[in-house]
Amino acid sequence: MADKIILVTGGDGLLGSALQHVSQELNDDADFHFAARADADLTSSVEVQALFEQVQPTHVIHTAAVVENGKVIRQANYWDNLKDALDNLPG
């Protein structure tokens, strides 16, 4: 088991995809999980909690956002659900 379990939200987005590529080149004791929109609706606290229970991350890199015409139109709405899930992690 890895020392670090890193959950990356927006795993199929521009930044998440770049992190996915970089993570493959790392020689590290980290296990990366890249969550896409299909894995969990980050606006749903129930789905976020289920994702966290499944992955049990030690770290979270939050890159998920809704982008239209090159502008981020929704990212902050996700933070409350992510923070609640982080607060409920054991340890």
Side-chain angles (χ1 to χ4, degrees):
M1 185 170 165
D3 292 337
K4 294 175 257 178
I5 301 171
I6 302 171
L7 172 63
V8 180
T9 64
D12 62 348
L14 181 66
L15 184 53
S17 295
L19 286 171
Q20 200 168 114
H21 178 74
V22 169
S23 73
Q24 293 170 357
E25 297 175 5
L26 294 176
N27 187 10
D28 195 11
D29 272 344
D31 186 8
F32 284 83
H33 293 266
F34 292 88
R37 187 176 298 166
D39 298 313
D41 176 358
L42 299 183
T43 64
S44 165
S45 60
V46 172
E47 288 192 34
V48 170
Q49 191 63 43
L51 177 65
F52 273 62
E53 288 172 6
Q54 176 189 353
V55 175
Q56 298 183 351
T58 58
H59 299 75
V60 176
I61 300 174
H62 177 43
T63 70
V66 175
V67 178
E68 286 183 7
N69 298 324
K71 294 184 180 185
V72 174
I73 58 172
R74 186 173 65 223
Q75 182 180 36
N77 296 356
Y78 303 146
W79 177 244
D80 288 337
N81 290 335
L82 291 169
K83 183 181 177 317
D84 289 345
L86 283 169
D87 289 344
N88 290 321
L89 284 176

